[in-house]
Amino acid sequence: MSQNEFLEILEKNLQGFSIDEKREILYDYEEHFTLGKENGKTDDEIIEELGNPLDIATQYKTNKITLINGNQNNNYQSSNSNGSNNAQGAGSSNNDNYQYSYTPNKPSNWLLFLLLLPFIILPSIGIIIAFYATILGLFATSVGVVIAGFGLSLAGILGTTIFGFQIISLPNISMIPMPAFLFAGIGTMALGALFFIGTLYLMKFLNSGTSKYFSWISSLTKR
């Protein structure tokens, strides 16, 4: 079963829930999948941890019924203490109390999003782009170091002049033994390779942080 199949089954079996309630529940499970995949888990492994989506939907419906019954009992006792026993009024009060836990979040989160947009979100996106540009520059530098090392190694094998072209120009270059170029070239290529691998790790770290950051921004508009 894939992530989309899991979420689709869960959504179809949440009968009796409002659109906002479904969105709230599905968002929580999307977060489970996002965090699990960042830790290297497959869809099957994540689903095995979460359980059967049918059982999850059943549990949500059971909890909702329990909450509604508890609110109705509280309203019934309250109405008796005030000398009123109107079942329809109690049901209406229960609906108001139950939806109160969901509806205030949406405007407050949107308000937070709009407040952060010009001062935090947009500037931070520019900083993230600058980080990516820097890492691309580091990639280019590491490739240049490897190419330079290859040139030194080639000079150590074939000499500093190939086909009449001098590939390395240094003062008193003829006094430098060819094996020195070879070993210097091998060391330079190794340094460039380590530089490249380190840059890959930086890219992975930046991708992970960027993904979490945009997930947080997305949560402000969904919840």
Side-chain angles (χ1 to χ4, degrees), residues 12-170:
K12 286 183 178 179
N13 287 273
L14 290 174
Q15 298 95 343
F17 287 79
S18 68
I19 295 176
D20 286 340
E21 292 167 359
K22 289 182 179 180
R23 185 183 295 115
E24 179 84 11
I25 294 170
L26 293 174
Y27 173 80
D28 289 338
Y29 283 92
E30 287 175 357
E31 285 290 293
H32 281 293
F33 278 98
T34 299
L35 293 176
K37 289 178 180 179
E38 288 178 357
N39 292 324
K41 296 180 181 179
T42 63
D43 283 355
D44 290 335
E45 291 173 337
I46 298 170
I47 292 171
E48 185 177 355
E49 294 177 357
L50 295 176
N52 191 313
L54 295 175
D55 295 337
I56 295 172
T58 300
Q59 185 62 45
Y60 271 106
K61 287 187 282 189
T62 301
N63 292 341
K64 181 175 182 179
I65 292 173
T66 302
L67 177 62
I68 292 175
N69 289 338
N71 287 339
Q72 286 178 338
N73 290 334
N74 291 335
N75 290 331
Y76 179 76
Q77 293 173 359
S78 176
S79 63
N80 280 342
S81 65
N82 293 326
S84 174
N85 188 22
N86 189 321
Q88 182 178 0
S92 174
S93 176
N94 172 69
N95 290 337
D96 292 340
N97 290 335
Y98 186 74
Q99 294 194 6
Y100 178 77
S101 62
Y102 296 99
T103 53
N105 288 335
K106 189 171 183 180
S108 62
N109 284 340
W110 269 105
L111 178 61
L112 178 61
F113 174 79
L114 293 175
L115 289 174
L116 294 178
L117 182 63
F119 304 106
I120 302 285
I121 296 177
L122 291 180
S124 63
I125 291 175
I127 294 173
I128 290 172
I129 293 174
F131 276 134
Y132 274 107
T134 302
I135 287 180
L136 288 177
L138 292 176
F139 272 123
T141 302
S142 64
V143 172
V145 172
V146 172
I147 293 174
F150 179 77
L152 287 172
S153 300
L154 195 62
I157 297 173
L158 303 177
T160 58
T161 302
I162 300 176
F163 300 118
F165 294 97
Q166 190 170 11
I167 61 175
I168 297 178
S169 178
L170 291 172

Side-chain angles (χ1 to χ4, degrees), residues 169-183:
S169 178
L170 291 172
N172 300 321
I173 193 171
S174 59
M175 299 176 61
I176 302 175
M178 292 178 62
F181 284 112
L182 177 60
F183 290 120

